[in-house]
Amino acid sequence: MSADAAAVAIKVRRPWFGERLLSGRVLKGALGLLLVLVAWQVSVPLVGLPEYFYPSALAVWRAFLELIRKGILPVYVADSLGRYVTGVGLGTLIGVSLGLLISLSRTTARVLAPLVNFLYAIVEVAWIPLFVIWWGYGLKVILVALIYVVMFPILYNTLVGIRTVPQVYINALRSLGGSRLQVIREVLVPAALPNIITGFRVGAGFAFRGLIFSEMIAAKTGLGYLIFEGTAHHQTARTIVGMICMGVLWLLIDNVYLKPFERATVERWGTVVAAEERR
Amino acid sequence: MSSASRRLVDDLSGAIPFVMALAGWALLSNYGNVPEYMLPPLGQMWMRFREALVDGSLLRHVSGSLYRLAISFVIGNAIAIPLGIAIAMNRNVSDLLRPVLTFFQSIAGIAWVPLAVIWFGIGMGSVIFVITNTIFFGAIYSTVIGVQMIPKTLHRAVLCHGAKGMQVFTELILPGALVQIILGLRTSMAYGWRALVAGEMIAGSSGLGYMTIEAVQWYQTDTVIMGMILIGLLWLMLDRLLFAPLERHTVARWGLLQR
Amino acid sequence: MRPMRGDRLRRILGHRAVAVTLALLVAWGAFSLWADWAGARKLTAVELASARNGRINVAVTLDFGPEAFHMMILQSIGRLIEVKGDTAYLMDVPVDEARSLARRYWVRDVAPWQGR
């Protein structure tokens, strides 16, 4: 076979899920988790504190089973997820629409930017008391808070992205006879899209924490409420179940949906800055 | 237009949206049908601000919040950075602990508040614990990544040139990971600030977050909005006056950050 | 060489997000079907026939003593009269609520009750 044919015949294969699962690093990571669990369990008799103060790993496991048996945990997780998906979805829609609307005129974007910056600096948790005064406790407040939390990073990043589009591109399109709408569609949106998506990822992250927080304050179901309720009834093991579920849920959301989405869009389009490095 | 006057125009135009917002606010609250508990008039806000300033409560809350933040930031980073470097120096240990650290980073902050209340009761102890916790896990995660990101070839090169023990640390690890560590300072502070406000709301007995959530009970919207504005201003000052210059003078200047 | 349609489909399905979502949907669908079947067994059509005005009195038996969470659910669907041990007695529960209550896996049995 000639060298060319041989080169064509070689295909590069991505390791499939099973192979990656059994790789050395994953196993070592699992071992690390196991060690932490064992250390936790062993430390309980050593520390000698009452169970509501320092529950053992086994107590937490039993609480987990109990919460599932009684149907509490699935409902809480479903409620939290439902609120999260709704909030993030609506927030993204509103954030992107508002961002594009504002950037219809570059001067509007530049003028409004300081106000957006300032409002963005008011941490999302700080808006919750105001929302509670406006709408009382309950589901509406949680949704509004989530929408706000997601909307702002997207809005902020959209404005930043639009602002950094080099004027030459816009001028080029205009001089070729492009209308304002075409400028938006052909130049501004594609240029700002990486920023929008990064803003989306940041917003999704803040929204998750915001969800837990607002559930602690203003909800009667949900993971945040579970974390809070456990300590209120001296069932600290349940609180820890809630915390662990929260962590696992976030890791799933981030690794199954958010990171691959960002990788498939932003990184492929060549703007490789991990969202961890942006605020 | 000279560049100086153009800068002046730029700065002035930056104030335009605020002026417009304030004008809209005044219009709505004084002439719109908006009830007072939803949007207090500007005059009332100003009076409330002066009141809180004069009776010292504002100063108390602000200084309390900043104090708690500072302590937690220092303690959290002081423990996390050396620990992170120590963990990351050994490839096996860091592979072992990476998932654990990732997991803890994902529940950092707010989720710990109820547990902190059980351990430390309501008040400063809980709040400091939660913020320190947040900053600790954020910083250790960044530090470990920073050390791990050092290219293997550099490591081998340094060893090749005869570096031993301490030298590897000062010549390779520290400068190599510094970028990530400094970036981590900023992001862990961002999360820590949120943890501060949220923690004070649930488990605090003083501070801006506490002041804001307390006012909800009495429908004192003016206090709530005042608290919010202060929270925004403080974060802006912290971020723009402290961390942005830090980043500019170190990481960006070393050409290691693309903005 | 143009990519074949099969390749494109495989590429989309191979995405982690798509595969996981599909798996979750399938699992949820299967569970839903099971719940329907189990619910029909606990609260049979014959028992439902005793409903009056679309409402029925039920005795809900759980595998454990009801907690605040369960009380909240029970109170939202009807008038909670009393709780004896693991069983809660409700009156004036709309028929579809009774049916969806029976579907829940933590409910051991839902039986009609003559009320008080």
Side-chain angles (χ1 to χ4, degrees), chain A residues 233-267:
Chain A
H233 298 154
H234 272 196
Q235 286 166 318
T236 318
R238 290 196 174 184
T239 296
I240 300 197
V241 170
M243 288 165 73
I244 295 184
C245 281
M246 172 187 167
V248 169
L249 201 60
W250 170 248
L251 287 176
L252 282 175
I253 294 179
D254 197 34
N255 285 305
V256 170
Y257 293 100
L258 296 180
K259 278 210 201 110
F261 178 59
E262 196 182 30
R263 222 175 293 149
T265 51
V266 172
E267 286 186 15

PDB file of all heavy atoms in Angstrom, chain A residues 233-267:
ATOM      1  N   HIS A 233     -34.922  20.790  62.232  1.00  0.00           N
ATOM      2  CA  HIS A 233     -35.475  19.687  63.011  1.00  0.00           C
ATOM      3  C   HIS A 233     -34.401  18.801  63.616  1.00  0.00           C
ATOM      4  O   HIS A 233     -34.657  17.650  63.954  1.00  0.00           O
ATOM      5  CB  HIS A 233     -36.384  18.829  62.115  1.00  0.00           C
ATOM      6  CG  HIS A 233     -37.556  19.581  61.593  1.00  0.00           C
ATOM      7  ND1 HIS A 233     -38.187  19.230  60.424  1.00  0.00           N
ATOM      8  CD2 HIS A 233     -38.200  20.676  62.042  1.00  0.00           C
ATOM      9  CE1 HIS A 233     -39.177  20.077  60.195  1.00  0.00           C
ATOM     10  NE2 HIS A 233     -39.190  20.966  61.156  1.00  0.00           N
ATOM     11  N   HIS A 234     -33.208  19.314  63.716  1.00  0.00           N
ATOM     12  CA  HIS A 234     -32.094  18.551  64.271  1.00  0.00           C
ATOM     13  C   HIS A 234     -31.865  17.245  63.529  1.00  0.00           C
ATOM     14  O   HIS A 234     -31.415  16.273  64.114  1.00  0.00           O
ATOM     15  CB  HIS A 234     -32.327  18.262  65.766  1.00  0.00           C
ATOM     16  CG  HIS A 234     -31.802  19.384  66.614  1.00  0.00           C
ATOM     17  ND1 HIS A 234     -31.590  19.266  67.967  1.00  0.00           N
ATOM     18  CD2 HIS A 234     -31.444  20.635  66.295  1.00  0.00           C
ATOM     19  CE1 HIS A 234     -31.128  20.410  68.428  1.00  0.00           C
ATOM     20  NE2 HIS A 234     -31.035  21.252  67.430  1.00  0.00           N
ATOM     21  N   GLN A 235     -32.199  17.242  62.235  1.00  0.00           N
ATOM     22  CA  GLN A 235     -31.906  16.057  61.432  1.00  0.00           C
ATOM     23  C   GLN A 235     -30.760  16.409  60.498  1.00  0.00           C
ATOM     24  O   GLN A 235     -30.925  16.489  59.278  1.00  0.00           O
ATOM     25  CB  GLN A 235     -33.130  15.643  60.623  1.00  0.00           C
ATOM     26  CG  GLN A 235     -34.198  14.992  61.466  1.00  0.00           C
ATOM     27  CD  GLN A 235     -35.504  14.898  60.715  1.00  0.00           C
ATOM     28  OE1 GLN A 235     -35.897  15.828  60.028  1.00  0.00           O
ATOM     29  NE2 GLN A 235     -36.170  13.775  60.847  1.00  0.00           N
ATOM     30  N   THR A 236     -29.586  16.636  61.095  1.00  0.00           N
ATOM     31  CA  THR A 236     -28.457  17.130  60.323  1.00  0.00           C
ATOM     32  C   THR A 236     -28.064  16.167  59.215  1.00  0.00           C
ATOM     33  O   THR A 236     -27.554  16.595  58.175  1.00  0.00           O
ATOM     34  CB  THR A 236     -27.258  17.369  61.254  1.00  0.00           C
ATOM     35  OG1 THR A 236     -27.735  17.976  62.446  1.00  0.00           O
ATOM     36  CG2 THR A 236     -26.243  18.268  60.606  1.00  0.00           C
ATOM     37  N   ALA A 237     -28.298  14.876  59.428  1.00  0.00           N
ATOM     38  CA  ALA A 237     -27.955  13.923  58.374  1.00  0.00           C
ATOM     39  C   ALA A 237     -28.696  14.273  57.099  1.00  0.00           C
ATOM     40  O   ALA A 237     -28.156  14.172  55.988  1.00  0.00           O
ATOM     41  CB  ALA A 237     -28.272  12.502  58.826  1.00  0.00           C
ATOM     42  N   ARG A 238     -29.952  14.702  57.219  1.00  0.00           N
ATOM     43  CA  ARG A 238     -30.716  15.068  56.032  1.00  0.00           C
ATOM     44  C   ARG A 238     -30.122  16.285  55.356  1.00  0.00           C
ATOM     45  O   ARG A 238     -30.099  16.379  54.134  1.00  0.00           O
ATOM     46  CB  ARG A 238     -32.164  15.369  56.416  1.00  0.00           C
ATOM     47  CG  ARG A 238     -32.900  14.137  56.813  1.00  0.00           C
ATOM     48  CD  ARG A 238     -34.379  14.391  56.811  1.00  0.00           C
ATOM     49  NE  ARG A 238     -35.097  13.150  57.053  1.00  0.00           N
ATOM     50  CZ  ARG A 238     -36.405  13.055  57.035  1.00  0.00           C
ATOM     51  NH1 ARG A 238     -37.126  14.122  56.792  1.00  0.00           N
ATOM     52  NH2 ARG A 238     -36.996  11.904  57.267  1.00  0.00           N
ATOM     53  N   THR A 239     -29.660  17.236  56.173  1.00  0.00           N
ATOM     54  CA  THR A 239     -29.023  18.413  55.599  1.00  0.00           C
ATOM     55  C   THR A 239     -27.850  17.992  54.730  1.00  0.00           C
ATOM     56  O   THR A 239     -27.679  18.482  53.607  1.00  0.00           O
ATOM     57  CB  THR A 239     -28.528  19.342  56.715  1.00  0.00           C
ATOM     58  OG1 THR A 239     -29.646  19.812  57.448  1.00  0.00           O
ATOM     59  CG2 THR A 239     -27.766  20.509  56.144  1.00  0.00           C
ATOM     60  N   ILE A 240     -27.042  17.065  55.250  1.00  0.00           N
ATOM     61  CA  ILE A 240     -25.861  16.662  54.489  1.00  0.00           C
ATOM     62  C   ILE A 240     -26.279  15.913  53.225  1.00  0.00           C
ATOM     63  O   ILE A 240     -25.641  16.053  52.171  1.00  0.00           O
ATOM     64  CB  ILE A 240     -24.923  15.839  55.372  1.00  0.00           C
ATOM     65  CG1 ILE A 240     -24.511  16.705  56.546  1.00  0.00           C
ATOM     66  CG2 ILE A 240     -23.719  15.377  54.584  1.00  0.00           C
ATOM     67  CD1 ILE A 240     -23.326  16.227  57.280  1.00  0.00           C
ATOM     68  N   VAL A 241     -27.355  15.129  53.320  1.00  0.00           N
ATOM     69  CA  VAL A 241     -27.858  14.489  52.097  1.00  0.00           C
ATOM     70  C   VAL A 241     -28.174  15.564  51.063  1.00  0.00           C
ATOM     71  O   VAL A 241     -27.820  15.452  49.883  1.00  0.00           O
ATOM     72  CB  VAL A 241     -29.116  13.647  52.383  1.00  0.00           C
ATOM     73  CG1 VAL A 241     -29.742  13.200  51.079  1.00  0.00           C
ATOM     74  CG2 VAL A 241     -28.780  12.448  53.227  1.00  0.00           C
ATOM     75  N   GLY A 242     -28.839  16.626  51.521  1.00  0.00           N
ATOM     76  CA  GLY A 242     -29.171  17.715  50.608  1.00  0.00           C
ATOM     77  C   GLY A 242     -27.930  18.337  49.993  1.00  0.00           C
ATOM     78  O   GLY A 242     -27.874  18.599  48.787  1.00  0.00           O
ATOM     79  N   MET A 243     -26.909  18.549  50.811  1.00  0.00           N
ATOM     80  CA  MET A 243     -25.688  19.175  50.304  1.00  0.00           C
ATOM     81  C   MET A 243     -25.028  18.284  49.266  1.00  0.00           C
ATOM     82  O   MET A 243     -24.591  18.744  48.207  1.00  0.00           O
ATOM     83  CB  MET A 243     -24.726  19.444  51.462  1.00  0.00           C
ATOM     84  CG  MET A 243     -25.180  20.575  52.359  1.00  0.00           C
ATOM     85  SD  MET A 243     -24.296  20.617  53.918  1.00  0.00           S
ATOM     86  CE  MET A 243     -22.708  21.211  53.399  1.00  0.00           C
ATOM     87  N   ILE A 244     -24.957  16.976  49.575  1.00  0.00           N
ATOM     88  CA  ILE A 244     -24.313  16.068  48.634  1.00  0.00           C
ATOM     89  C   ILE A 244     -25.107  16.006  47.326  1.00  0.00           C
ATOM     90  O   ILE A 244     -24.535  16.032  46.231  1.00  0.00           O
ATOM     91  CB  ILE A 244     -24.156  14.674  49.255  1.00  0.00           C
ATOM     92  CG1 ILE A 244     -23.212  14.747  50.444  1.00  0.00           C
ATOM     93  CG2 ILE A 244     -23.642  13.688  48.232  1.00  0.00           C
ATOM     94  CD1 ILE A 244     -22.920  13.426  51.076  1.00  0.00           C
ATOM     95  N   CYS A 245     -26.436  15.941  47.445  1.00  0.00           N
ATOM     96  CA  CYS A 245     -27.251  15.922  46.230  1.00  0.00           C
ATOM     97  C   CYS A 245     -27.031  17.168  45.412  1.00  0.00           C
ATOM     98  O   CYS A 245     -26.947  17.124  44.180  1.00  0.00           O
ATOM     99  CB  CYS A 245     -28.738  15.826  46.589  1.00  0.00           C
ATOM    100  SG  CYS A 245     -29.234  14.183  47.018  1.00  0.00           S
ATOM    101  N   MET A 246     -26.918  18.292  46.101  1.00  0.00           N
ATOM    102  CA  MET A 246     -26.686  19.549  45.397  1.00  0.00           C
ATOM    103  C   MET A 246     -25.378  19.482  44.620  1.00  0.00           C
ATOM    104  O   MET A 246     -25.323  19.858  43.438  1.00  0.00           O
ATOM    105  CB  MET A 246     -26.641  20.679  46.428  1.00  0.00           C
ATOM    106  CG  MET A 246     -26.228  22.007  45.866  1.00  0.00           C
ATOM    107  SD  MET A 246     -26.022  23.177  47.220  1.00  0.00           S
ATOM    108  CE  MET A 246     -25.159  24.483  46.352  1.00  0.00           C
ATOM    109  N   GLY A 247     -24.334  18.980  45.275  1.00  0.00           N
ATOM    110  CA  GLY A 247     -23.050  18.883  44.610  1.00  0.00           C
ATOM    111  C   GLY A 247     -23.094  17.962  43.411  1.00  0.00           C
ATOM    112  O   GLY A 247     -22.643  18.306  42.313  1.00  0.00           O
ATOM    113  N   VAL A 248     -23.684  16.784  43.612  1.00  0.00           N
ATOM    114  CA  VAL A 248     -23.756  15.821  42.515  1.00  0.00           C
ATOM    115  C   VAL A 248     -24.572  16.396  41.365  1.00  0.00           C
ATOM    116  O   VAL A 248     -24.192  16.302  40.193  1.00  0.00           O
ATOM    117  CB  VAL A 248     -24.378  14.497  43.013  1.00  0.00           C
ATOM    118  CG1 VAL A 248     -24.695  13.598  41.842  1.00  0.00           C
ATOM    119  CG2 VAL A 248     -23.426  13.800  43.960  1.00  0.00           C
ATOM    120  N   LEU A 249     -25.707  17.006  41.706  1.00  0.00           N
ATOM    121  CA  LEU A 249     -26.568  17.575  40.672  1.00  0.00           C
ATOM    122  C   LEU A 249     -25.828  18.632  39.868  1.00  0.00           C
ATOM    123  O   LEU A 249     -25.881  18.653  38.642  1.00  0.00           O
ATOM    124  CB  LEU A 249     -27.810  18.176  41.322  1.00  0.00           C
ATOM    125  CG  LEU A 249     -29.020  18.350  40.423  1.00  0.00           C
ATOM    126  CD1 LEU A 249     -29.431  17.002  39.881  1.00  0.00           C
ATOM    127  CD2 LEU A 249     -30.155  18.972  41.212  1.00  0.00           C
ATOM    128  N   TRP A 250     -25.096  19.504  40.567  1.00  0.00           N
ATOM    129  CA  TRP A 250     -24.386  20.545  39.842  1.00  0.00           C
ATOM    130  C   TRP A 250     -23.302  19.946  38.963  1.00  0.00           C
ATOM    131  O   TRP A 250     -23.124  20.365  37.819  1.00  0.00           O
ATOM    132  CB  TRP A 250     -23.784  21.576  40.792  1.00  0.00           C
ATOM    133  CG  TRP A 250     -22.871  22.499  40.088  1.00  0.00           C
ATOM    134  CD1 TRP A 250     -21.521  22.598  40.229  1.00  0.00           C
ATOM    135  CD2 TRP A 250     -23.234  23.425  39.057  1.00  0.00           C
ATOM    136  NE1 TRP A 250     -21.022  23.536  39.363  1.00  0.00           N
ATOM    137  CE2 TRP A 250     -22.041  24.059  38.632  1.00  0.00           C
ATOM    138  CE3 TRP A 250     -24.441  23.775  38.444  1.00  0.00           C
ATOM    139  CZ2 TRP A 250     -22.032  25.039  37.643  1.00  0.00           C
ATOM    140  CZ3 TRP A 250     -24.423  24.748  37.466  1.00  0.00           C
ATOM    141  CH2 TRP A 250     -23.239  25.362  37.077  1.00  0.00           C
ATOM    142  N   LEU A 251     -22.572  18.976  39.486  1.00  0.00           N
ATOM    143  CA  LEU A 251     -21.527  18.353  38.675  1.00  0.00           C
ATOM    144  C   LEU A 251     -22.126  17.726  37.424  1.00  0.00           C
ATOM    145  O   LEU A 251     -21.566  17.817  36.334  1.00  0.00           O
ATOM    146  CB  LEU A 251     -20.773  17.306  39.483  1.00  0.00           C
ATOM    147  CG  LEU A 251     -19.838  17.895  40.528  1.00  0.00           C
ATOM    148  CD1 LEU A 251     -19.206  16.797  41.358  1.00  0.00           C
ATOM    149  CD2 LEU A 251     -18.757  18.712  39.849  1.00  0.00           C
ATOM    150  N   LEU A 252     -23.305  17.093  37.574  1.00  0.00           N
ATOM    151  CA  LEU A 252     -23.958  16.519  36.412  1.00  0.00           C
ATOM    152  C   LEU A 252     -24.338  17.598  35.404  1.00  0.00           C
ATOM    153  O   LEU A 252     -24.043  17.498  34.215  1.00  0.00           O
ATOM    154  CB  LEU A 252     -25.224  15.766  36.841  1.00  0.00           C
ATOM    155  CG  LEU A 252     -24.996  14.391  37.439  1.00  0.00           C
ATOM    156  CD1 LEU A 252     -26.310  13.805  37.920  1.00  0.00           C
ATOM    157  CD2 LEU A 252     -24.389  13.488  36.388  1.00  0.00           C
ATOM    158  N   ILE A 253     -24.999  18.640  35.915  1.00  0.00           N
ATOM    159  CA  ILE A 253     -25.436  19.702  35.004  1.00  0.00           C
ATOM    160  C   ILE A 253     -24.244  20.307  34.280  1.00  0.00           C
ATOM    161  O   ILE A 253     -24.251  20.496  33.067  1.00  0.00           O
ATOM    162  CB  ILE A 253     -26.194  20.804  35.777  1.00  0.00           C
ATOM    163  CG1 ILE A 253     -27.496  20.255  36.335  1.00  0.00           C
ATOM    164  CG2 ILE A 253     -26.479  21.995  34.886  1.00  0.00           C
ATOM    165  CD1 ILE A 253     -28.282  21.258  37.128  1.00  0.00           C
ATOM    166  N   ASP A 254     -23.184  20.595  35.057  1.00  0.00           N
ATOM    167  CA  ASP A 254     -22.044  21.267  34.457  1.00  0.00           C
ATOM    168  C   ASP A 254     -21.342  20.378  33.447  1.00  0.00           C
ATOM    169  O   ASP A 254     -20.985  20.817  32.361  1.00  0.00           O
ATOM    170  CB  ASP A 254     -21.073  21.678  35.566  1.00  0.00           C
ATOM    171  CG  ASP A 254     -20.087  22.725  35.113  1.00  0.00           C
ATOM    172  OD1 ASP A 254     -20.469  23.574  34.276  1.00  0.00           O
ATOM    173  OD2 ASP A 254     -18.949  22.712  35.588  1.00  0.00           O
ATOM    174  N   ASN A 255     -21.138  19.108  33.791  1.00  0.00           N
ATOM    175  CA  ASN A 255     -20.344  18.257  32.917  1.00  0.00           C
ATOM    176  C   ASN A 255     -21.126  17.625  31.789  1.00  0.00           C
ATOM    177  O   ASN A 255     -20.564  17.268  30.765  1.00  0.00           O
ATOM    178  CB  ASN A 255     -19.657  17.168  33.744  1.00  0.00           C
ATOM    179  CG  ASN A 255     -18.494  17.726  34.522  1.00  0.00           C
ATOM    180  OD1 ASN A 255     -17.601  18.330  33.956  1.00  0.00           O
ATOM    181  ND2 ASN A 255     -18.531  17.559  35.825  1.00  0.00           N
ATOM    182  N   VAL A 256     -22.422  17.452  31.974  1.00  0.00           N
ATOM    183  CA  VAL A 256     -23.194  16.826  30.905  1.00  0.00           C
ATOM    184  C   VAL A 256     -23.753  17.871  29.941  1.00  0.00           C
ATOM    185  O   VAL A 256     -23.822  17.648  28.738  1.00  0.00           O
ATOM    186  CB  VAL A 256     -24.347  15.982  31.486  1.00  0.00           C
ATOM    187  CG1 VAL A 256     -25.277  15.534  30.394  1.00  0.00           C
ATOM    188  CG2 VAL A 256     -23.789  14.799  32.234  1.00  0.00           C
ATOM    189  N   TYR A 257     -24.134  19.016  30.455  1.00  0.00           N
ATOM    190  CA  TYR A 257     -24.770  19.994  29.581  1.00  0.00           C
ATOM    191  C   TYR A 257     -23.926  21.235  29.330  1.00  0.00           C
ATOM    192  O   TYR A 257     -23.673  21.615  28.210  1.00  0.00           O
ATOM    193  CB  TYR A 257     -26.127  20.410  30.177  1.00  0.00           C
ATOM    194  CG  TYR A 257     -27.118  19.290  30.183  1.00  0.00           C
ATOM    195  CD1 TYR A 257     -27.354  18.552  31.341  1.00  0.00           C
ATOM    196  CD2 TYR A 257     -27.809  18.942  29.039  1.00  0.00           C
ATOM    197  CE1 TYR A 257     -28.247  17.512  31.330  1.00  0.00           C
ATOM    198  CE2 TYR A 257     -28.712  17.906  29.035  1.00  0.00           C
ATOM    199  CZ  TYR A 257     -28.926  17.193  30.187  1.00  0.00           C
ATOM    200  OH  TYR A 257     -29.814  16.150  30.186  1.00  0.00           O
ATOM    201  N   LEU A 258     -23.477  21.897  30.409  1.00  0.00           N
ATOM    202  CA  LEU A 258     -22.871  23.210  30.224  1.00  0.00           C
ATOM    203  C   LEU A 258     -21.519  23.156  29.535  1.00  0.00           C
ATOM    204  O   LEU A 258     -21.294  23.829  28.537  1.00  0.00           O
ATOM    205  CB  LEU A 258     -22.752  23.916  31.575  1.00  0.00           C
ATOM    206  CG  LEU A 258     -24.096  24.221  32.227  1.00  0.00           C
ATOM    207  CD1 LEU A 258     -23.891  24.925  33.547  1.00  0.00           C
ATOM    208  CD2 LEU A 258     -24.947  25.058  31.316  1.00  0.00           C
ATOM    209  N   LYS A 259     -20.609  22.337  30.090  1.00  0.00           N
ATOM    210  CA  LYS A 259     -19.268  22.330  29.511  1.00  0.00           C
ATOM    211  C   LYS A 259     -19.261  21.820  28.068  1.00  0.00           C
ATOM    212  O   LYS A 259     -18.632  22.443  27.208  1.00  0.00           O
ATOM    213  CB  LYS A 259     -18.327  21.469  30.365  1.00  0.00           C
ATOM    214  CG  LYS A 259     -17.776  22.188  31.549  1.00  0.00           C
ATOM    215  CD  LYS A 259     -16.391  21.651  31.921  1.00  0.00           C
ATOM    216  CE  LYS A 259     -16.084  21.992  33.368  1.00  0.00           C
ATOM    217  NZ  LYS A 259     -16.074  20.809  34.234  1.00  0.00           N
ATOM    218  N   PRO A 260     -19.941  20.709  27.770  1.00  0.00           N
ATOM    219  CA  PRO A 260     -19.935  20.261  26.373  1.00  0.00           C
ATOM    220  C   PRO A 260     -20.526  21.306  25.437  1.00  0.00           C
ATOM    221  O   PRO A 260     -20.044  21.494  24.331  1.00  0.00           O
ATOM    222  CB  PRO A 260     -20.792  18.990  26.405  1.00  0.00           C
ATOM    223  CG  PRO A 260     -20.683  18.509  27.783  1.00  0.00           C
ATOM    224  CD  PRO A 260     -20.601  19.729  28.636  1.00  0.00           C
ATOM    225  N   PHE A 261     -21.576  22.001  25.889  1.00  0.00           N
ATOM    226  CA  PHE A 261     -22.182  23.033  25.061  1.00  0.00           C
ATOM    227  C   PHE A 261     -21.174  24.127  24.765  1.00  0.00           C
ATOM    228  O   PHE A 261     -21.009  24.558  23.633  1.00  0.00           O
ATOM    229  CB  PHE A 261     -23.413  23.613  25.760  1.00  0.00           C
ATOM    230  CG  PHE A 261     -24.072  24.711  24.997  1.00  0.00           C
ATOM    231  CD1 PHE A 261     -24.561  24.496  23.724  1.00  0.00           C
ATOM    232  CD2 PHE A 261     -24.211  25.970  25.553  1.00  0.00           C
ATOM    233  CE1 PHE A 261     -25.170  25.506  23.014  1.00  0.00           C
ATOM    234  CE2 PHE A 261     -24.828  26.983  24.857  1.00  0.00           C
ATOM    235  CZ  PHE A 261     -25.303  26.757  23.578  1.00  0.00           C
ATOM    236  N   GLU A 262     -20.463  24.557  25.812  1.00  0.00           N
ATOM    237  CA  GLU A 262     -19.479  25.601  25.592  1.00  0.00           C
ATOM    238  C   GLU A 262     -18.364  25.091  24.682  1.00  0.00           C
ATOM    239  O   GLU A 262     -17.905  25.779  23.787  1.00  0.00           O
ATOM    240  CB  GLU A 262     -18.900  26.055  26.928  1.00  0.00           C
ATOM    241  CG  GLU A 262     -18.183  27.369  26.823  1.00  0.00           C
ATOM    242  CD  GLU A 262     -17.579  27.797  28.138  1.00  0.00           C
ATOM    243  OE1 GLU A 262     -17.225  26.919  28.926  1.00  0.00           O
ATOM    244  OE2 GLU A 262     -17.453  28.998  28.351  1.00  0.00           O
ATOM    245  N   ARG A 263     -17.958  23.852  24.924  1.00  0.00           N
ATOM    246  CA  ARG A 263     -16.884  23.301  24.111  1.00  0.00           C
ATOM    247  C   ARG A 263     -17.307  23.210  22.643  1.00  0.00           C
ATOM    248  O   ARG A 263     -16.570  23.541  21.736  1.00  0.00           O
ATOM    249  CB  ARG A 263     -16.512  21.909  24.620  1.00  0.00           C
ATOM    250  CG  ARG A 263     -15.021  21.696  24.642  1.00  0.00           C
ATOM    251  CD  ARG A 263     -14.668  20.372  25.249  1.00  0.00           C
ATOM    252  NE  ARG A 263     -14.998  20.315  26.654  1.00  0.00           N
ATOM    253  CZ  ARG A 263     -15.360  19.200  27.286  1.00  0.00           C
ATOM    254  NH1 ARG A 263     -15.452  18.069  26.632  1.00  0.00           N
ATOM    255  NH2 ARG A 263     -15.647  19.221  28.564  1.00  0.00           N
ATOM    256  N   ALA A 264     -18.544  22.808  22.427  1.00  0.00           N
ATOM    257  CA  ALA A 264     -18.989  22.610  21.048  1.00  0.00           C
ATOM    258  C   ALA A 264     -19.167  23.926  20.320  1.00  0.00           C
ATOM    259  O   ALA A 264     -19.158  23.969  19.101  1.00  0.00           O
ATOM    260  CB  ALA A 264     -20.293  21.817  21.033  1.00  0.00           C
ATOM    261  N   THR A 265     -19.370  24.996  21.040  1.00  0.00           N
ATOM    262  CA  THR A 265     -19.594  26.258  20.358  1.00  0.00           C
ATOM    263  C   THR A 265     -18.385  27.180  20.484  1.00  0.00           C
ATOM    264  O   THR A 265     -17.668  27.408  19.539  1.00  0.00           O
ATOM    265  CB  THR A 265     -20.823  26.970  20.933  1.00  0.00           C
ATOM    266  OG1 THR A 265     -20.690  27.029  22.342  1.00  0.00           O
ATOM    267  CG2 THR A 265     -22.080  26.221  20.558  1.00  0.00           C
ATOM    268  N   VAL A 266     -18.145  27.684  21.664  1.00  0.00           N
ATOM    269  CA  VAL A 266     -17.124  28.700  21.833  1.00  0.00           C
ATOM    270  C   VAL A 266     -15.742  28.203  21.439  1.00  0.00           C
ATOM    271  O   VAL A 266     -15.035  28.815  20.651  1.00  0.00           O
ATOM    272  CB  VAL A 266     -17.101  29.202  23.290  1.00  0.00           C
ATOM    273  CG1 VAL A 266     -15.926  30.110  23.505  1.00  0.00           C
ATOM    274  CG2 VAL A 266     -18.385  29.933  23.586  1.00  0.00           C
ATOM    275  N   GLU A 267     -15.367  27.026  21.979  1.00  0.00           N
ATOM    276  CA  GLU A 267     -14.013  26.585  21.701  1.00  0.00           C
ATOM    277  C   GLU A 267     -13.831  26.236  20.241  1.00  0.00           C
ATOM    278  O   GLU A 267     -12.782  26.451  19.658  1.00  0.00           O
ATOM    279  CB  GLU A 267     -13.668  25.395  22.582  1.00  0.00           C
ATOM    280  CG  GLU A 267     -13.425  25.833  24.018  1.00  0.00           C
ATOM    281  CD  GLU A 267     -12.937  24.695  24.887  1.00  0.00           C
ATOM    282  OE1 GLU A 267     -12.533  23.674  24.327  1.00  0.00           O
ATOM    283  OE2 GLU A 267     -12.970  24.841  26.105  1.00  0.00           O
TER     284      GLU A 267
END
